[in-house]
Amino acid sequence: MIFKVLYQEIHNEIPVRERTTSLYYEAESERQVRTELATREINIEFIQPLNGAHLEYEKLSEHFEVENG
């Protein structure tokens, strides 16, 4: 499954909407995403599973690039 991860690049600051970044990650579960991204110095705000029409919409983005665990 593909997940959209919304995060802040500065892991020890309060989240600011204007600094939120996203990445797409392929994994079996949200837990796997969190585990595999734990070594990165990021502050994960939200992880959203993508499927169906929502996934197709995200694929239209020029920034759609899926990372694998």
Side-chain angles (χ1 to χ4, degrees):
M1 174 172 264
I2 296 176
F3 294 87
K4 183 175 186 177
V5 180
L6 300 171
Y7 68 95
Q8 300 284 313
E9 291 186 8
I10 302 172
H11 74 285
N12 60 355
E13 285 189 3
I14 296 172
V16 177
R17 181 177 52 197
E18 291 79 15
R19 292 191 211 147
T20 298
T21 308
S22 65
L23 64 86
Y24 301 93
Y25 203 85
E26 185 172 7
E28 295 295 319
S29 65
E30 180 179 331
R31 178 176 287 201
Q32 181 183 359
V33 174
R34 288 189 181 278
T35 300
E36 293 180 6
L37 295 179
T39 59
R40 297 189 189 182
E41 298 270 326
I42 61 174
N43 181 4
I44 296 175
E45 293 179 43
F46 186 67
I47 299 176
Q48 179 178 25
L50 299 178
N51 52 33
H54 191 176
L55 176 57
E56 294 306 313
Y57 175 78
E58 292 289 343
K59 284 181 179 180
L60 298 175
S61 169
E62 64 185 54
H63 302 290
F64 185 80
E65 192 172 313
V66 179
E67 295 183 33
N68 293 347

